[in-house]
CSV table of all heavy atoms in Angstrom, one decimal:
chain,number,residue,atom,x,y,z
A,1,GLU,N,-32.6,15.7,-18.0
A,1,GLU,CA,-32.1,17.0,-17.5
A,1,GLU,C,-31.4,16.8,-16.2
A,1,GLU,O,-31.5,15.8,-15.5
A,1,GLU,CB,-33.3,18.0,-17.3
A,1,GLU,CG,-34.0,18.3,-18.6
A,1,GLU,CD,-35.2,19.2,-18.4
A,1,GLU,OE1,-35.4,19.6,-17.2
A,1,GLU,OE2,-35.8,19.6,-19.4
A,2,ALA,N,-30.5,17.8,-15.9
A,2,ALA,CA,-29.7,17.7,-14.7
A,2,ALA,C,-30.7,17.8,-13.5
A,2,ALA,O,-31.7,18.6,-13.5
A,2,ALA,CB,-28.7,18.8,-14.6
A,3,VAL,N,-30.4,17.0,-12.4
A,3,VAL,CA,-31.2,17.1,-11.2
A,3,VAL,C,-30.8,18.3,-10.4
A,3,VAL,O,-29.6,18.6,-10.2
A,3,VAL,CB,-31.0,15.8,-10.4
A,3,VAL,CG1,-31.7,15.9,-9.0
A,3,VAL,CG2,-31.3,14.6,-11.1
A,4,THR,N,-31.8,19.1,-10.0
A,4,THR,CA,-31.5,20.4,-9.3
A,4,THR,C,-32.2,20.3,-7.9
A,4,THR,O,-33.1,19.6,-7.7
A,4,THR,CB,-32.0,21.6,-10.0
A,4,THR,OG1,-33.4,21.5,-10.3
A,4,THR,CG2,-31.2,21.6,-11.4
A,5,ALA,N,-31.7,21.2,-7.0
A,5,ALA,CA,-32.3,21.3,-5.7
A,5,ALA,C,-32.5,22.7,-5.4
A,5,ALA,O,-31.7,23.6,-5.7
A,5,ALA,CB,-31.4,20.6,-4.6
A,6,GLU,N,-33.6,23.0,-4.7
A,6,GLU,CA,-33.9,24.5,-4.4
A,6,GLU,C,-34.6,24.6,-3.1
A,6,GLU,O,-35.5,23.8,-2.7
A,6,GLU,CB,-34.9,25.0,-5.5
A,6,GLU,CG,-35.2,26.5,-5.3
A,6,GLU,CD,-36.1,27.0,-6.5
A,6,GLU,OE1,-36.4,26.2,-7.4
A,6,GLU,OE2,-36.5,28.2,-6.4
A,7,SER,N,-34.1,25.5,-2.3
A,7,SER,CA,-34.7,25.7,-1.0
A,7,SER,C,-36.1,26.3,-1.1
A,7,SER,O,-36.3,27.2,-2.0
A,7,SER,CB,-33.8,26.7,-0.2
A,7,SER,OG,-34.4,27.0,1.0
A,8,LEU,N,-37.0,25.9,-0.3
A,8,LEU,CA,-38.4,26.5,-0.3
A,8,LEU,C,-38.4,27.9,0.2
A,8,LEU,O,-39.4,28.6,0.0
A,8,LEU,CB,-39.3,25.6,0.5
A,8,LEU,CG,-39.5,24.1,0.0
A,8,LEU,CD1,-40.4,23.3,0.9
A,8,LEU,CD2,-40.0,24.1,-1.5
A,9,ASP,N,-37.4,28.3,1.0
A,9,ASP,CA,-37.4,29.6,1.6
A,9,ASP,C,-36.6,30.6,0.8
A,9,ASP,O,-36.8,31.8,1.1
A,9,ASP,CB,-36.8,29.5,3.1
A,9,ASP,CG,-37.6,28.5,3.9
A,9,ASP,OD1,-38.8,28.4,3.7
A,9,ASP,OD2,-37.0,27.8,4.8
A,10,ALA,N,-35.8,30.2,-0.1
A,10,ALA,CA,-35.0,31.1,-0.8
A,10,ALA,C,-35.4,31.3,-2.2
A,10,ALA,O,-35.7,30.4,-2.9
A,10,ALA,CB,-33.5,30.7,-0.8
A,11,PRO,N,-35.4,32.6,-2.7
A,11,PRO,CA,-35.9,32.8,-4.1
A,11,PRO,C,-34.8,32.7,-5.1
A,11,PRO,O,-35.0,32.8,-6.3
A,11,PRO,CB,-36.4,34.3,-4.1
A,11,PRO,CG,-35.4,34.9,-3.0
A,11,PRO,CD,-35.2,33.8,-2.0
A,12,HIS,N,-33.5,32.3,-4.7
A,12,HIS,CA,-32.4,32.3,-5.7
A,12,HIS,C,-32.5,31.1,-6.6
A,12,HIS,O,-33.2,30.1,-6.3
A,12,HIS,CB,-31.0,32.3,-4.9
A,12,HIS,CG,-30.9,31.2,-4.0
A,12,HIS,ND1,-31.3,31.2,-2.7
A,12,HIS,CD2,-30.4,29.9,-4.2
A,12,HIS,CE1,-31.0,30.1,-2.1
A,12,HIS,NE2,-30.5,29.2,-3.0
A,13,ALA,N,-31.7,31.1,-7.7
A,13,ALA,CA,-31.8,30.0,-8.7
A,13,ALA,C,-31.3,28.7,-8.1
A,13,ALA,O,-30.4,28.6,-7.2
A,13,ALA,CB,-30.9,30.4,-9.8
A,14,ALA,N,-31.8,27.6,-8.6
A,14,ALA,CA,-31.5,26.3,-8.2
A,14,ALA,C,-30.1,26.0,-8.6
A,14,ALA,O,-29.6,26.4,-9.6
A,14,ALA,CB,-32.5,25.3,-8.7
A,15,ALA,N,-29.4,25.1,-7.8
A,15,ALA,CA,-28.0,24.7,-8.2
A,15,ALA,C,-28.0,23.2,-8.4
A,15,ALA,O,-28.8,22.4,-7.7
A,15,ALA,CB,-27.1,25.0,-7.0
A,16,PRO,N,-27.3,22.7,-9.4
A,16,PRO,CA,-27.2,21.2,-9.6
A,16,PRO,C,-26.6,20.5,-8.5
A,16,PRO,O,-25.7,21.0,-7.8
A,16,PRO,CB,-26.5,21.1,-10.9
A,16,PRO,CG,-25.6,22.4,-11.0
A,16,PRO,CD,-26.4,23.4,-10.3
A,17,ILE,N,-27.0,19.3,-8.3
A,17,ILE,CA,-26.5,18.4,-7.2
A,17,ILE,C,-25.4,17.6,-7.9
A,17,ILE,O,-25.6,16.9,-8.9
A,17,ILE,CB,-27.5,17.5,-6.6
A,17,ILE,CG1,-28.6,18.3,-5.9
A,17,ILE,CG2,-26.9,16.5,-5.7
A,17,ILE,CD1,-29.7,17.5,-5.4
A,18,ALA,N,-24.1,17.6,-7.3
A,18,ALA,CA,-23.0,16.9,-7.9
A,18,ALA,C,-23.2,15.4,-7.5
A,18,ALA,O,-23.5,15.1,-6.3
A,18,ALA,CB,-21.7,17.4,-7.4
A,19,THR,N,-23.0,14.5,-8.4
A,19,THR,CA,-23.0,13.1,-8.1
A,19,THR,C,-21.6,12.5,-8.4
A,19,THR,O,-21.0,12.8,-9.4
A,19,THR,CB,-24.0,12.4,-9.0
A,19,THR,OG1,-23.7,12.7,-10.4
A,19,THR,CG2,-25.4,12.9,-8.7
A,20,PRO,N,-21.2,11.7,-7.5
A,20,PRO,CA,-19.8,11.1,-7.6
A,20,PRO,C,-19.8,10.1,-8.8
A,20,PRO,O,-20.8,9.5,-9.1
A,20,PRO,CB,-19.6,10.4,-6.3
A,20,PRO,CG,-21.0,10.1,-5.8
A,20,PRO,CD,-21.8,11.2,-6.2
A,21,GLY,N,-18.6,10.0,-9.4
A,21,GLY,CA,-18.4,9.1,-10.5
A,21,GLY,C,-18.3,7.7,-10.0
A,21,GLY,O,-18.2,7.4,-8.8
A,22,PRO,N,-18.3,6.7,-10.9
A,22,PRO,CA,-18.2,5.3,-10.4
A,22,PRO,C,-16.9,5.0,-9.8
A,22,PRO,O,-15.9,5.5,-10.3
A,22,PRO,CB,-18.4,4.5,-11.8
A,22,PRO,CG,-18.0,5.5,-12.8
A,22,PRO,CD,-18.4,6.9,-12.3
A,23,ALA,N,-16.9,4.3,-8.7
A,23,ALA,CA,-15.7,3.9,-8.0
A,23,ALA,C,-15.0,2.8,-8.8
A,23,ALA,O,-15.6,1.9,-9.4
A,23,ALA,CB,-16.1,3.4,-6.6
A,24,VAL,N,-13.7,2.9,-8.8
A,24,VAL,CA,-12.8,1.9,-9.5
A,24,VAL,C,-12.4,0.9,-8.4
A,24,VAL,O,-11.7,1.2,-7.4
A,24,VAL,CB,-11.6,2.5,-10.2
A,24,VAL,CG1,-10.7,1.5,-10.7
A,24,VAL,CG2,-12.0,3.5,-11.2
A,25,ALA,N,-12.7,-0.3,-8.7
A,25,ALA,CA,-12.4,-1.4,-7.7
A,25,ALA,C,-10.9,-1.7,-7.7
A,25,ALA,O,-10.4,-1.8,-8.8
A,25,ALA,CB,-13.2,-2.7,-8.0
A,26,PRO,N,-10.3,-1.9,-6.5
A,26,PRO,CA,-8.9,-2.2,-6.6
A,26,PRO,C,-8.7,-3.7,-7.0
A,26,PRO,O,-9.6,-4.5,-6.9
A,26,PRO,CB,-8.5,-2.1,-5.1
A,26,PRO,CG,-9.8,-2.3,-4.3
A,26,PRO,CD,-10.9,-1.7,-5.2
A,27,PRO,N,-7.5,-4.0,-7.5
A,27,PRO,CA,-7.3,-5.4,-8.0
A,27,PRO,C,-7.5,-6.3,-6.8
A,27,PRO,O,-7.0,-6.1,-5.7
A,27,PRO,CB,-5.8,-5.4,-8.4
A,27,PRO,CG,-5.5,-3.9,-8.7
A,27,PRO,CD,-6.3,-3.1,-7.8
A,28,PRO,N,-8.2,-7.5,-7.0
A,28,PRO,CA,-8.4,-8.4,-5.9
A,28,PRO,C,-7.0,-9.1,-5.6
A,28,PRO,O,-6.2,-9.3,-6.4
A,28,PRO,CB,-9.3,-9.4,-6.6
A,28,PRO,CG,-9.1,-9.4,-8.0
A,28,PRO,CD,-8.7,-7.9,-8.3
A,29,ARG,N,-6.9,-9.4,-4.3
A,29,ARG,CA,-5.7,-10.1,-3.8
A,29,ARG,C,-6.1,-11.6,-3.4
A,29,ARG,O,-7.0,-11.7,-2.6
A,29,ARG,CB,-5.1,-9.4,-2.7
A,29,ARG,CG,-4.6,-8.0,-3.1
A,29,ARG,CD,-3.8,-7.3,-1.9
A,29,ARG,NE,-2.5,-8.1,-1.7
A,29,ARG,CZ,-1.4,-7.8,-2.4
A,29,ARG,NH1,-1.4,-6.9,-3.3
A,29,ARG,NH2,-0.3,-8.5,-2.1
A,30,PHE,N,-5.5,-12.5,-4.0
A,30,PHE,CA,-5.8,-13.9,-3.7
A,30,PHE,C,-5.0,-14.4,-2.6
A,30,PHE,O,-3.8,-14.0,-2.3
A,30,PHE,CB,-5.6,-14.8,-4.9
A,30,PHE,CG,-6.4,-14.3,-6.2
A,30,PHE,CD1,-5.7,-14.0,-7.3
A,30,PHE,CD2,-7.7,-14.2,-6.1
A,30,PHE,CE1,-6.4,-13.6,-8.4
A,30,PHE,CE2,-8.4,-13.7,-7.2
A,30,PHE,CZ,-7.8,-13.5,-8.4
A,31,SER,N,-5.5,-15.4,-1.8
A,31,SER,CA,-4.9,-15.9,-0.6
A,31,SER,C,-3.7,-16.8,-1.0
A,31,SER,O,-2.9,-17.1,-0.2
A,31,SER,CB,-5.9,-16.6,0.2
A,31,SER,OG,-6.4,-17.8,-0.4
A,32,GLY,N,-3.7,-17.4,-2.2
A,32,GLY,CA,-2.7,-18.4,-2.5
A,32,GLY,C,-3.1,-19.7,-2.1
A,32,GLY,O,-2.3,-20.7,-2.1
A,33,GLN,N,-4.3,-19.9,-1.7
A,33,GLN,CA,-4.8,-21.3,-1.2
A,33,GLN,C,-4.8,-22.2,-2.4
A,33,GLN,O,-5.3,-21.9,-3.4
A,33,GLN,CB,-6.2,-21.2,-0.6
A,33,GLN,CG,-6.7,-22.5,-0.1
A,33,GLN,CD,-8.1,-22.4,0.5
A,33,GLN,OE1,-8.6,-21.3,0.6
A,33,GLN,NE2,-8.6,-23.5,0.9
A,34,VAL,N,-4.2,-23.4,-2.2
A,34,VAL,CA,-4.1,-24.4,-3.2
A,34,VAL,C,-5.1,-25.5,-2.9
A,34,VAL,O,-5.2,-26.0,-1.8
A,34,VAL,CB,-2.7,-25.0,-3.3
A,34,VAL,CG1,-2.6,-26.2,-4.3
A,34,VAL,CG2,-1.7,-24.0,-3.6
A,35,THR,N,-5.9,-25.8,-3.9
A,35,THR,CA,-6.9,-26.9,-3.8
A,35,THR,C,-6.3,-28.1,-4.6
A,35,THR,O,-5.9,-28.0,-5.6
A,35,THR,CB,-8.2,-26.5,-4.5
A,35,THR,OG1,-8.7,-25.3,-3.9
A,35,THR,CG2,-9.3,-27.6,-4.4
A,36,GLN,N,-6.4,-29.2,-3.9
A,36,GLN,CA,-5.8,-30.5,-4.4
A,36,GLN,C,-6.9,-31.3,-5.1
A,36,GLN,O,-7.9,-31.7,-4.5
A,36,GLN,CB,-5.2,-31.3,-3.3
A,36,GLN,CG,-4.6,-32.6,-3.9
A,36,GLN,CD,-3.4,-32.3,-4.8
A,36,GLN,OE1,-2.4,-31.7,-4.4
A,36,GLN,NE2,-3.5,-32.9,-6.1
A,37,GLY,N,-6.8,-31.5,-6.4
A,37,GLY,CA,-7.7,-32.3,-7.2
A,37,GLY,C,-7.0,-33.6,-7.7
A,37,GLY,O,-5.8,-33.7,-7.5
A,38,PRO,N,-7.6,-34.3,-8.5
A,38,PRO,CA,-7.0,-35.5,-9.1
A,38,PRO,C,-6.0,-35.2,-10.2
A,38,PRO,O,-6.3,-34.2,-11.0
A,38,PRO,CB,-8.2,-36.3,-9.6
A,38,PRO,CG,-9.2,-35.3,-9.9
A,38,PRO,CD,-9.1,-34.3,-8.8
A,39,ALA,N,-4.9,-35.8,-10.3
A,39,ALA,CA,-4.0,-35.7,-11.4
A,39,ALA,C,-4.6,-36.3,-12.6
A,39,ALA,O,-5.4,-37.2,-12.6
A,39,ALA,CB,-2.6,-36.3,-11.0
A,40,SER,N,-4.1,-35.8,-13.8
A,40,SER,CA,-4.6,-36.3,-15.0
A,40,SER,C,-3.5,-37.0,-15.9
A,40,SER,O,-2.3,-36.5,-15.8
A,40,SER,CB,-5.2,-35.2,-15.9
A,40,SER,OG,-5.5,-35.6,-17.2
A,41,SER,N,-3.9,-38.0,-16.6
A,41,SER,CA,-2.9,-38.6,-17.5
A,41,SER,C,-3.2,-38.4,-19.0
A,41,SER,O,-2.9,-39.1,-19.8
A,41,SER,CB,-2.9,-40.1,-17.3
A,41,SER,OG,-4.1,-40.7,-17.5
A,42,ASP,N,-3.9,-37.2,-19.2
A,42,ASP,CA,-4.3,-36.9,-20.6
A,42,ASP,C,-3.0,-36.7,-21.5
A,42,ASP,O,-2.0,-36.3,-21.0
A,42,ASP,CB,-5.1,-35.6,-20.6
A,42,ASP,CG,-6.5,-35.9,-20.0
A,42,ASP,OD1,-6.9,-37.0,-19.8
A,42,ASP,OD2,-7.2,-34.9,-19.6
A,43,SER,N,-3.2,-36.8,-22.8
A,43,SER,CA,-2.2,-36.7,-23.7
A,43,SER,C,-2.1,-35.4,-24.4
A,43,SER,O,-3.0,-34.6,-24.4
A,43,SER,CB,-2.3,-37.8,-24.8
A,43,SER,OG,-2.3,-39.1,-24.2
A,44,LEU,N,-0.9,-35.2,-25.0
A,44,LEU,CA,-0.7,-33.9,-25.8
A,44,LEU,C,-1.1,-34.2,-27.3
A,44,LEU,O,-0.8,-35.2,-27.9
A,44,LEU,CB,0.8,-33.6,-25.8
A,44,LEU,CG,1.3,-33.1,-24.4
A,44,LEU,CD1,2.9,-33.0,-24.5
A,44,LEU,CD2,0.8,-31.8,-24.0
A,45,TYR,N,-1.9,-33.1,-27.8
A,45,TYR,CA,-2.2,-33.2,-29.2
A,45,TYR,C,-2.0,-31.8,-29.8
A,45,TYR,O,-1.8,-30.8,-29.1
A,45,TYR,CB,-3.7,-33.4,-29.3
A,45,TYR,CG,-4.2,-34.8,-29.0
A,45,TYR,CD1,-4.5,-35.2,-27.6
A,45,TYR,CD2,-4.3,-35.8,-29.9
A,45,TYR,CE1,-4.9,-36.4,-27.3
A,45,TYR,CE2,-4.7,-37.1,-29.6
A,45,TYR,CZ,-5.0,-37.4,-28.2
A,45,TYR,OH,-5.4,-38.7,-27.9
A,46,VAL,N,-2.0,-31.7,-31.1
A,46,VAL,CA,-1.9,-30.5,-31.8
A,46,VAL,C,-3.3,-30.3,-32.5
A,46,VAL,O,-3.7,-31.1,-33.3
A,46,VAL,CB,-0.8,-30.3,-32.8
A,46,VAL,CG1,-0.9,-29.1,-33.7
A,46,VAL,CG2,0.6,-30.4,-32.1
A,47,ARG,N,-4.0,-29.3,-32.1
A,47,ARG,CA,-5.4,-29.0,-32.6
A,47,ARG,C,-5.3,-28.0,-33.8
A,47,ARG,O,-4.6,-27.0,-33.7
A,47,ARG,CB,-6.3,-28.5,-31.5
A,47,ARG,CG,-7.7,-28.2,-31.9
A,47,ARG,CD,-8.5,-27.6,-30.9
A,47,ARG,NE,-8.7,-28.5,-29.7
A,47,ARG,CZ,-9.2,-28.3,-28.6
A,47,ARG,NH1,-9.7,-27.0,-28.4
A,47,ARG,NH2,-9.4,-29.1,-27.6
A,48,LEU,N,-5.9,-28.4,-34.9
A,48,LEU,CA,-5.9,-27.6,-36.1
A,48,LEU,C,-7.2,-26.7,-36.1
A,48,LEU,O,-7.9,-26.6,-35.1
A,48,LEU,CB,-5.8,-28.4,-37.3
A,48,LEU,CG,-4.6,-29.4,-37.3
A,48,LEU,CD1,-4.5,-30.1,-38.7
A,48,LEU,CD2,-3.3,-28.7,-37.0
């Protein structure tokens, strides 16, 4: 059921509490930092 809130001093009907929707994360921005690793001499194949 919807969550409601009611004042202890007021006899009027309770009102639902609005809850915000999920926030949408902005696209991450990368620094462009390059990590240097070992070069590879692996060969080309066609995989079936």
Side-chain angles (χ1 to χ4, degrees):
E1 297 182 358
V3 178
T4 60
E6 183 176 358
S7 171
L8 297 178
D9 299 327
H12 58 269
I17 298 177
T19 56
V24 176
R29 298 188 66 86
F30 303 123
S31 65
Q33 179 180 358
V34 176
T35 302
Q36 182 64 57
S40 170
S41 58
D42 292 343
S43 299
L44 293 170
Y45 292 86
V46 173
R47 182 182 293 174
L48 306 186

